Amino acid sequence: MKFSFDRDSLIKEIAIAQEIITNKSPISILSNVLLEAQNNTLTIKASDTSVNFVTHIPVEVTEEGTTTIYCDKLMSILTSLPSGEVEFDQEDIKVNIKPISKKIKFQLKSIASDKFPEIASTTDVPFFEVPAKDFKEMISQTIFAVSDDGNRYFMTGVYFTKKEDKIAMVATDGRRLSYIEKDFGTNIPDFTSSIVPVKVLNCVLKKASSEGNISVAVVDKMIFIKFGNYEFSSLLLDGQFPNYQRVIPEQQLYSFQVQKSDIEAALKRIALMIDKKICRILFKVSPGVLKLISPESDIGTADEEIPCEYAGEEVTMALNYRYIGDPLKVIETERVTFEFTETMKAITLRSEPKADYFHIIMPMNLE
């Protein structure tokens, strides 16, 4: 196998392959990236057996062939080379990599491609299309709320479901919940509700353009996602996702509004004095004023008042400051609304005006 390629173009693709690959042993096929040169096209594949990645880039093929090489070392070599044309030449189990304009040569050992895990073809997969911008927003509004508890693996992904003519994504770690649903105005085919791993969603969020469409399909126990020249597929997570609808309040009696920039800045300052193991912050809301307080600790304390729109009785509630800060990062409106009924029941954080997403936060004990 022999071909030449543009160094910068290949770096971009190998960087994505690195994110997929988790096994870093140089003797493991799962640490390798598969390269297939044919018809002046280089097909690149990476897999950790659960999440798969396939892409194609134009190259100049002199001799067709297929092999796999250690992904991390390939990336290190490519980044060390100057920009420009690079030649890739395989001889038996060794691969020579050298820039055409410089007297530099690297040699890597390869592993036969027949040992590489098989990646499911997307030829007959029943894809449907959704706007890329909306699909990325759905991911960004939910992905941070998944659980990191390996014992509750069914909560370590984002729930993906169809509700009548809308698509919804939900994530929860048992103490907070993020929800978004969108009506794309097109006939979305029915698909099985699924729990999608964070890894593949992160790849989509980081690599997909906000222009155009993304193609999605759920088949058996896999999700397939295509955009541009990229194809991702992933095994779905097993298990029963929690009945999230029970957590969502039907109505809440009270609410207050604040400028998002005000509360973000105050949270950042007050967090300097918060015990990071507990993460508790007190919200004391009274007519016209929201006071943020860090509970007294061995380090000290802090408090800050910001203006708010509220006309009820004074109320104090304890919240995890990270559960406030995370959704604020992805809410794009200038004002936000907190809705509540009792200080120890679910609190809803929304954009103002309301959008098609919201975030539920369970309060902490005041003491």
Side-chain angles (χ1 to χ4, degrees):
M1 178 168 71
K2 185 175 181 180
F3 61 91
S4 59
F5 59 91
D6 176 68
R7 173 257 194 192
D8 294 341
S9 296
L10 189 57
I11 281 179
K12 179 183 174 184
E13 313 303 329
I14 297 301
I16 303 174
Q18 273 191 311
E19 294 183 31
I20 300 298
I21 293 169
T22 52
N23 192 321
K24 301 301 182 184
S25 168
I27 63 172
S28 169
I29 193 71
L30 289 179
S31 295
N32 282 24
V33 59
L34 183 145
L35 303 176
E36 180 180 354
Q38 192 175 25
N39 298 326
N40 285 334
T41 299
L42 180 68
T43 299
I44 302 165
K45 297 182 180 181
S47 175
D48 68 357
T49 71
S50 294
V51 179
N52 308 306
F53 165 65
V54 180
T55 188
H56 312 273
I57 62 170
V59 297
E60 186 174 329
V61 177
T62 306
E63 183 180 338
E64 296 183 347
T66 304
T67 193
T68 78
I69 56 176
Y70 186 31
C71 184
D72 274 8
K73 194 58 66 178
L74 173 61
M75 186 63 167
S76 297
I77 290 170
L78 292 175
T79 54
S80 75
L81 297 177
S83 294
E85 287 291 303
V86 178
E87 185 179 85
F88 183 104
D89 185 9
Q90 184 181 17
E91 299 174 354
D92 296 324
I93 63 167
K94 294 180 180 179
V95 170
N96 299 312
I97 301 171
K98 54 185 179 180
I100 293 174
S101 62
K102 298 284 184 179
K103 292 184 177 181
I104 308 168
K105 177 178 160 182
F106 289 94
Q107 193 171 76
L108 277 176
K109 290 183 179 179
S110 62
I111 300 178
S113 57
D114 59 1
K115 295 180 174 61
F116 196 80
E118 185 176 350
I119 295 178
S121 170
T122 60
T123 303
D124 298 319
V125 171
F127 285 99
F128 59 87
E129 291 193 344
V130 293
K133 181 179 179 181
D134 291 337
F135 194 72
K136 289 178 65 177
E137 182 188 16
M138 295 184 77
I139 297 172
S140 67
Q141 289 290 343
T142 53
I143 198 169
F144 57 83
V146 301
S147 174
D148 58 4
D149 184 352
N151 294 321
R152 297 192 291 177
Y153 59 92
F154 51 88
M155 293 168 65
T156 61
V158 175
Y159 189 60
F160 184 50
T161 187
K162 183 183 176 187
K163 297 181 65 178
E164 297 177 348
D165 294 328
K166 298 179 180 180
I167 288 181
M169 284 190 184
V170 193
T172 181
D173 64 5
R175 297 173 297 274
R176 59 174 166 178
L177 180 146
S178 292
Y179 179 94
I180 182 168
E181 66 177 27
K182 284 192 177 291
D183 185 348
F184 295 112
T186 58
N187 186 23
I188 302 294
D190 293 338
F191 60 86
T192 304
S193 298
S194 311
I195 308 173
V196 184
V198 165
K199 189 174 187 178
V200 69
L201 294 177
N202 262 325
C203 288
V204 175
L205 194 59
K206 289 192 283 186
K207 303 304 178 183
S209 165
S210 294
E211 304 295 326
N213 291 331
I214 287 177
S215 298
V216 183
V218 177
V219 180
D220 296 327
K221 295 184 177 181
M222 293 196 71
I223 186 168
F224 297 85
I225 303 173
K226 293 197 306 183
F227 53 89
N229 61 322
Y230 299 141
E231 297 178 10
F232 292 92
S233 58
S234 174
L235 289 173
L236 299 167
L237 297 177
D238 288 330
Q240 181 66 44
F241 196 76
N243 184 357
Y244 65 90
Q245 293 174 325
R246 292 192 309 175
V247 180
I248 301 172
E250 291 185 8
Q251 68 175 57
Q252 291 178 292
L253 301 178
Y254 312 107
S255 67
F256 62 90
Q257 292 180 16
V258 294
Q259 288 290 120
K260 193 184 81 152
S261 58
D262 287 349
I263 193 168
E264 281 185 309
L267 273 176
K268 187 175 181 179
R269 285 186 284 267
I270 301 302
L272 296 173
M273 303 301 290
I274 290 176
D275 185 334
K276 299 303 186 290
K277 293 181 180 179
I278 301 174
C279 300
R280 184 190 293 114
I281 188 171
L282 301 182
F283 274 34
K284 181 179 287 187
V285 59
S286 56
V289 176
L290 171 63
K291 188 173 185 179
L292 285 69
I293 307 165
S294 69
E296 190 169 348
S297 67
D298 295 339
I299 303 171
T301 186
D303 63 73
E304 181 172 344
E305 292 184 357
I306 62 173
C308 79
E309 187 177 322
Y310 176 66
E313 296 181 357
E314 182 176 282
V315 173
T316 300
M317 57 190 78
L319 301 170
N320 185 316
Y321 81 92
R322 289 178 179 160
Y323 292 177
I324 304 295
D326 287 343
L328 287 176
K329 292 174 185 175
V330 293
I331 293 176
E332 296 183 351
T333 55
E334 294 183 358
R335 293 178 66 79
V336 294
T337 297
F338 290 81
E339 299 174 348
F340 65 98
T341 296
E342 298 178 24
T343 57
M344 290 307 297
K345 289 191 176 181
I347 294 163
T348 305
L349 172 56
R350 298 183 183 271
S351 63
E352 182 57 42
K354 289 183 180 179
D356 47 17
Y357 58 84
F358 56 81
H359 306 277
I360 304 291
I361 302 154
M362 298 305 298
M364 304 174 75
N365 291 326
L366 284 168
E367 297 297 331

